[in-house]
Amino acid sequence: MEAGGDAAAPAPGDAEDVEDTQFPSEEAGDGGDVHEGSPDPEDGGLEETGPETKEQPPDLLSPLPQSEAPSCTCGLWSPAASENSPMGGPESGSGSQGGDPSDEDWRSKRKHVFVLSEAGKPIYSRYGSVEALSTTMGVMTALVSFVQSAGDAIRAIYAEDHKLVFLQQGPLLLVAVSRTPQSASQLRGELLAVHAQIVSTLTRASVARIFARKQNYDLRRLLAGSERTLDRLLDSMERDPGALLLGAVRCVPLTRPLREALGALLRRCTAPGLALSVLAVGGRLVTAAQERTVLAECRLDPADLQLLLDWVGAPAFAAGEAWAPVCLPRFNPDGFFYAYVARLDAMPVCLLLLGTDPEAFHDMATCRRLVEDGMHTLGAMRALREAASFSNASSASAPAYSVQAVGAPGLRHFLYKPLDIPDHHRQLPQFTSPELEAPYSREEERQRLSDLYHRLHSRLHSTSRPLRLIYHVAEKETLLAWVTSKFELYTCLSPLVTKAGAILVVTKLLRWVKKEEDRLFIRYPPKYSTPPAAPAASADQASHNGLFTGP
Amino acid sequence: MHLALRPGGRRFDLGAEGWAPSWPGAAASYLFSPPVPTAVATAPACLWREAKFSQARRREKGDRELPCGTQNAQQSGSLEVSRPGEHGMAQVAGASRPRAAPGQPFVFKLVLLGSGSVGKSSLALRYVKNDFRSTLPTVGCAFFTKVVDLGAASLKLEIWDTAGQEKYHSVCHLYFRGANAVLLVYDITRKDSFDMAQQWLKDLEKEFHPGEIVVMLVGNKTDLGEEREVTIEEGKEFAESKRLLFMETSARLNHQVTEVFSAVARELLQREERKEGQTQRRDARLALNERPAGQAKCCAR
């Protein structure tokens, strides 16, 4: 096997680090040739991995404790469950059943996520009923406080094929127990997203205050109704890992003139205190306009934007116009914005207006009518409807494109995030990927692809030994992942592709993306300036803002 | 079954107290509304708000030091930043404007309150769209409008369907401020939701004068009669003791849903007509004091 990097457009140059090994042995053999995050794109490490006969080598997860400071191995999580089915088996919506840790079905889940309070009170569990799990959660609390008593913090436990990742956020403890090939830091990223979701409804300050007041408070009371949101979040991370892996949002492909007209429209329709206007379809961005000063002083984190996109995509917003407080955890975890959310014209097109004035509902509603009228004048509704109706039946409301559009036979799927973007563009990190089509139409196939993407991502971004290019031959597909200073790319190719063929496909893909870039991405995010909202008066905002009055 | 109507226009008599609305909660409620700009400004990176709001905030600080009586006048001053032209009654601005323009139908703000999953959204959806489906918990608040034709007159209802979940309780004050009518919804199969409705009423009493708003107690889910935990008598008795309107409904079977809203609308209209009469009488008096009468609008008596 040889490294054939120079055939592709921006060639990675010499591959000085060609290895023909499998992942696990690499992780263990952390020898001398460590790349220190080489900033030079020419200085790329090329890695190849041979075909893996098993989806999940049993020894894959155990020996990689390098980057995780205090970790210990113990048999807390009996691996008995893993015999059941390698791909997670019956995943289909069984959140309500049992939850007894001895229950075979419960144990066979690929990934569990728990949220508990510092006092060990259960708050959320991905599967099963929280009540039945109180002893299990008790064990987790014990583990955490045991390590804490030694002045240390537990971060992860590797037990045979399981990874247990712990994340302490204020008075909340989040735990992931996973049999997926995700790395501990990827799992930690998911736990952070779960925490952000909780913070977005309650704010960090109010969570802290509640537990400061009453240590054994049952937070489930306040989170009632949010469980399903968390379930949805975890499901979408499993099925569509792009947003979280790449830290970017996905855009609806749209012609540049139309997108710019819509951006100009959002820029025109402002209200006092308005900070962000977003048009979205099915959790994907059409365009977003930001208040100029927000943009200049503090960036809108893609994680916050993704959270908003998921939020407005929720079926709870299907009827009427909604007006709700929402906290953007990365922007300011302790304060609320007020969000106006409406579906335009009974379409899946959703308008979100985020402002700071709690009384501005009617201003926002006026704003929405302006946007709606403007869109009718532009004929944008029809264009968006067409975009929405293109996508296949599986997700009728999410406009997308087929991988066929690239015109590169053998290419099955890809994730592409541009990095060579002008500064004003960087405010809105974006990525693009086509619809998942056959053979990735079944849940387990998608899961397999998601696992492979995760694995490649963790290799590219390994803290101890990052790579630039990976050519990975898996059992049912071939993958090529490549990160340069200009882009980050993950491609999934047919298993029969040759290496030269793969490079040809990737070259073609890069050319296509370049050509279509105006359509795929928001090149010039619109900005506007609004007068500030009328300030509401109060010293200790949090006590009433924090949604907790205490009955 | 009907709310007691206090005679006379005492509340807006211009006595020694000046022009401040006389219920204590009004001033307080504005003070305690979530002051988001301040919150945003506390973020380390958020210098952008700091500058813009510092001036206004200084003014607020001044407000707080003032004795209660003068507070309102001061505050309305700072409010003019966003709503010029609305004096005095700025606390209830935005929502409470019964008559938009002469010749236009009356506009009333109706708020649905109650515990989670008692059927507030279902009632609203049934009434506005004649639709019933299993809804997800409301986020914050959903807003609908519906024009009610009462034969002789028609009026427009702005329906605010609030979230019943506890996490949204404190923001609910935001939504029911300036309301003209409230539907207190409970689930007849859940005693706790009935208790919660009584709790909501206490909150309302803090915010509004007795008789200022139309309150109707609504026992929903009569289709689940066999699981009933709150008898119709209990509901009726409580409603009578508090002088509330009362009805039992089923959003699923579309039983008495429209009737609930029409009854409230009728009551609102009657009160508005009675008030118009009073306003005319008061106009004469107000003219002596050189105060525009329009400012007493929010007093839906």
Side-chain angles (χ1 to χ4, degrees):
Chain A
M1 284 190 161
E2 59 181 76
D6 34 36
D14 316 273
E16 12 171 356
D17 189 24
V18 183
E19 291 177 52
D20 207 342
T21 46
Q22 298 209 347
F23 285 116
S25 49
E26 261 172 352
E27 289 282 7
D30 181 35
D33 43 9
V34 177
H35 291 256
E36 290 96 12
S38 45
D40 184 357
E42 302 302 303
D43 180 22
L46 176 68
E47 178 200 355
E48 294 181 26
T49 46
E52 284 189 48
T53 44
K54 277 183 81 178
E55 202 47 53
Q56 250 177 295
D59 58 332
L60 175 63
L61 304 177
S62 26
L64 34 84
Q66 302 94 330
S67 55
E68 299 300 331
S71 72
C72 57
T73 311
C74 72
L76 166 77
W77 218 265
S78 156
S82 59
E83 302 160 359
N84 212 348
S85 69
M87 292 323 294
E91 204 83 271
S92 49
S94 45
S96 54
Q97 104 278 15
D100 184 4
S102 63
D103 178 39
E104 222 18 68
D105 198 32
W106 184 84
R107 294 168 75 100
S108 69
K109 300 293 181 200
R110 261 160 52 99
K111 181 160 53 182
H112 285 276
V113 172
F114 307 100
V115 181
L116 48 153
S117 75
E118 226 171 0
K121 241 198 168 101
I123 293 168
Y124 169 78
S125 166
R126 176 71 187 87
Y127 302 106
S129 82
V130 176
E131 284 85 2
L133 294 169
S134 48
T135 41
T136 316
M137 297 210 181
V139 175
M140 295 177 202
T141 327
L143 273 171
V144 170
S145 52
F146 177 75
V147 177
Q148 231 162 28
S149 67
D152 218 333
I154 190 164
R155 294 180 51 145
I157 297 174
Y158 299 89
E160 290 212 36
D161 62 343
H162 279 88
K163 272 194 206 81
L164 286 76
V165 175
F166 296 82
L167 179 72
Q168 176 107 36
Q169 291 285 303
L172 297 182
L173 178 65
L174 296 98
V175 184
V177 179
S178 158
R179 279 190 294 114
T180 64
Q182 285 169 293
S183 72
S185 69
Q186 284 166 347
L187 289 169
R188 195 163 293 122
E190 295 193 359
L191 290 180
L192 277 170
V194 168
H195 181 252
Q197 183 66 51
I198 293 173
V199 165
S200 77
T201 50
L202 296 177
T203 72
R204 190 183 62 182
S206 87
V207 171
R209 197 176 44 253
I210 287 162
F211 284 107
R213 203 179 296 173
K214 198 169 166 221
Q215 252 221 322
N216 61 349
Y217 184 82
D218 188 353
L219 199 66
R220 277 181 300 159
R221 278 178 56 186
L222 283 180
L223 283 179
S226 297
E227 294 93 347
R228 268 183 278 185
T229 318
L230 291 174
D231 289 351
R232 244 164 35 93
L233 173 74
L234 288 165
D235 278 347
S236 78
M237 287 192 297
E238 183 102 326
R239 214 171 302 127
D240 187 13
L244 197 69
L245 275 185
L246 298 173
V249 294
R250 201 195 305 245
C251 300
V252 177
L254 214 59
T255 58
R256 181 169 167 180
L258 181 58
R259 202 191 304 271
E260 279 179 0
L262 288 172
L265 178 65
L266 288 186
R267 211 171 53 215
R268 266 203 317 276
C269 304
T270 60
L274 191 64
L276 174 72
S277 325
V278 174
L279 269 177
V281 181
R284 293 164 194 206
L285 199 59
V286 175
T287 188
Q290 301 174 54
E291 218 276 338
R292 206 174 295 272
T293 31
V294 185
L295 203 67
E297 296 294 339
C298 33
R299 292 184 167 186
L300 182 66
D301 193 280
D304 280 345
L305 188 55
Q306 186 60 43
L307 190 136
L308 285 175
L309 288 175
D310 287 343
W311 190 60
V312 299
F317 286 114
E321 302 160 71
W323 180 243
V326 63
C327 167
L328 298 185
R330 301 288 173 96
F331 188 85
N332 174 7
D334 300 327
F336 274 121
F337 279 102
Y338 287 81
Y340 173 91
V341 183
R343 298 277 156 100
L344 297 182
D345 220 19
M347 280 265 306
V349 181
C350 189
L351 174 70
L352 165 80
L353 298 169
L354 200 67
T356 50
D357 182 0
E359 309 269 354
F361 174 84
H362 288 280
D363 295 341
M364 299 293 191
T366 314
C367 209
R368 168 255 172 111
R369 275 188 289 277
L370 289 175
V371 171
E372 211 165 18
D373 292 348
M375 284 178 72
H376 279 298
T377 326
L378 287 171
M381 290 293 188
R382 216 190 54 230
L384 285 173
R385 194 174 294 138
E386 272 160 21
S389 62
F390 167 76
S391 62
N392 55 25
S394 65
S395 50
S397 62
Y401 55 94
S402 165
V403 72
Q404 310 290 338
V406 180
L411 183 66
R412 288 180 172 183
H413 191 254
F414 64 89
L415 306 172
Y416 178 95
K417 179 190 182 188
L419 300 171
D420 62 327
I421 37 186
D423 192 48
H424 57 261
H425 189 170
R426 209 165 294 154
Q427 304 289 350
L428 214 60
Q430 301 155 48
F431 78 101
T432 189
S433 78
E435 197 77 340
L436 271 172
E437 289 167 88
Y440 303 102
S441 35
R442 294 219 329 271
E443 191 65 19
E444 54 201 80
E445 309 283 332
R446 291 183 178 200
Q447 226 159 50
R448 188 183 68 231
L449 182 63
S450 163
D451 283 352
L452 286 164
Y453 280 151
H454 273 106
R455 213 181 286 186
L456 293 177
H457 175 270
S458 73
R459 292 301 294 127
L460 284 182
H461 296 275
S462 151
T463 44
S464 55
R465 218 164 130 260
L467 296 165
R468 300 227 145 241
L469 185 60
I470 304 174
Y471 182 74
H472 176 65
V473 183
E475 191 186 5
K476 293 180 177 163
E477 50 266 301
T478 301
L479 291 104
L480 193 145
W482 190 7
V483 57
T484 72
S485 63
K486 293 191 169 65
F487 58 84
E488 182 167 346
L489 172 70
Y490 300 83
T491 52
C492 172
L493 309 149
S494 94
L496 301 173
V497 78
T498 60
K499 198 173 295 163
I503 284 154
L504 211 68
V505 166
V506 169
T507 315
K508 211 163 190 175
L509 171 64
L510 290 173
R511 256 188 230 131
W512 180 80
V513 170
K514 191 83 205 147
K515 192 169 96 246
E516 297 283 321
E517 122 191 298
D518 280 344
R519 208 170 62 82
L520 297 174
F521 304 109
I522 302 172
R523 300 291 285 170
Y524 303 98
K527 300 160 213 171
Y528 52 75
S529 303
T530 57
S538 170
D540 173 26
Q541 60 96 165
S543 60
H544 15 270
N545 202 9
L547 302 166
F548 177 71
T549 42
Chain B
M1 292 268 279
H2 286 253
L3 280 153
L5 299 170
R6 296 195 317 164
R10 275 202 347 256
R11 257 192 55 224
F12 284 89
D13 285 355
L14 293 171
E17 283 165 64
W19 192 234
S22 46
W23 70 104
S29 72
Y30 192 79
L31 276 178
F32 292 147
S33 71
V36 176
T38 326
V40 171
T42 52
C46 302
L47 299 163
W48 64 285
R49 286 279 162 208
E50 207 74 62
K52 285 186 176 179
F53 292 123
S54 60
Q55 189 194 354
R57 225 181 305 152
R58 240 177 285 125
R59 230 180 300 161
E60 291 157 30
K61 275 190 197 125
D63 283 353
R64 243 170 270 129
E65 288 153 17
L66 291 167
C68 237
T70 49
Q71 203 162 25
N72 272 294
Q74 276 293 106
Q75 206 168 25
S76 62
S78 71
L79 262 167
E80 281 177 6
V81 176
S82 73
R83 289 201 178 78
E86 285 182 78
H87 300 249
M89 296 308 298
Q91 291 82 0
V92 282
S96 180
R97 38 191 181 353
R99 195 185 275 279
Q104 292 285 306
F106 285 102
V107 181
F108 290 106
K109 176 173 176 180
L110 182 144
V111 182
L112 286 146
L113 290 177
S115 323
S117 57
V118 297
K120 295 179 296 301
S121 301
S122 298
L123 281 172
L125 216 62
R126 173 61 88 184
Y127 179 60
V128 178
K129 303 198 167 153
N130 195 17
D131 189 9
F132 183 87
R133 52 188 147 162
S134 60
T135 52
L136 286 159
T138 307
V139 182
C141 184
F143 178 81
F144 305 91
T145 53
K146 170 117 177 168
V147 175
V148 193
D149 193 7
L150 290 175
S154 66
L155 53 86
K156 191 168 156 195
L157 281 184
E158 287 186 354
I159 301 169
W160 293 72
D161 167 29
T162 66
Q165 291 150 32
E166 198 175 325
K167 64 184 167 201
Y168 290 114
H169 276 197
S170 54
V171 269
C172 272
H173 292 255
L174 246 175
Y175 303 130
F176 67 59
R177 199 171 317 138
N180 303 104
V182 172
L183 295 188
L184 280 180
V185 188
Y186 69 92
D187 176 352
I188 61 158
T189 67
R190 273 172 51 208
K191 182 84 174 120
D192 63 307
S193 70
F194 185 58
D195 298 338
M196 200 58 210
Q198 306 185 7
Q199 192 60 44
W200 275 120
L201 189 67
K202 288 201 182 101
D203 283 8
L204 286 174
E205 281 166 354
K206 276 182 226 156
E207 196 90 4
F208 297 97
H209 255 348
E212 188 186 347
I213 50 167
V214 178
V215 182
M216 181 179 243
L217 188 67
V218 180
N220 191 31
K221 304 196 188 176
T222 51
D223 50 295
L224 301 173
E226 62 272 26
E227 297 164 44
R228 185 187 275 276
E229 280 184 17
V230 185
T231 63
I232 191 160
E233 286 75 26
E234 273 178 275
K236 214 178 260 176
E237 205 173 291
F238 177 71
E240 269 164 23
S241 72
K242 297 286 183 184
R243 297 165 181 272
L244 313 176
L245 305 175
F246 176 70
M247 245 184 220
E248 284 201 347
T249 58
S250 167
R252 183 195 293 265
L253 304 178
N254 198 6
H255 173 63
Q256 289 211 321
V257 177
T258 318
E259 285 80 352
V260 163
F261 287 91
S262 310
V264 170
R266 215 168 293 125
E267 179 68 27
L268 281 167
L269 208 62
Q270 277 175 16
R271 288 183 184 204
E272 190 62 30
E273 280 161 7
R274 240 169 296 179
K275 197 185 80 183
E276 288 232 316
Q278 285 164 15
T279 317
Q280 276 165 16
R281 250 178 290 136
R282 216 183 312 149
D283 267 349
R285 208 163 12 145
L286 286 167
L288 296 175
N289 290 296
E290 290 179 350
R291 281 283 183 178
Q295 291 181 354
K297 258 186 203 163
C298 72
C299 169
R301 206 161 355 163

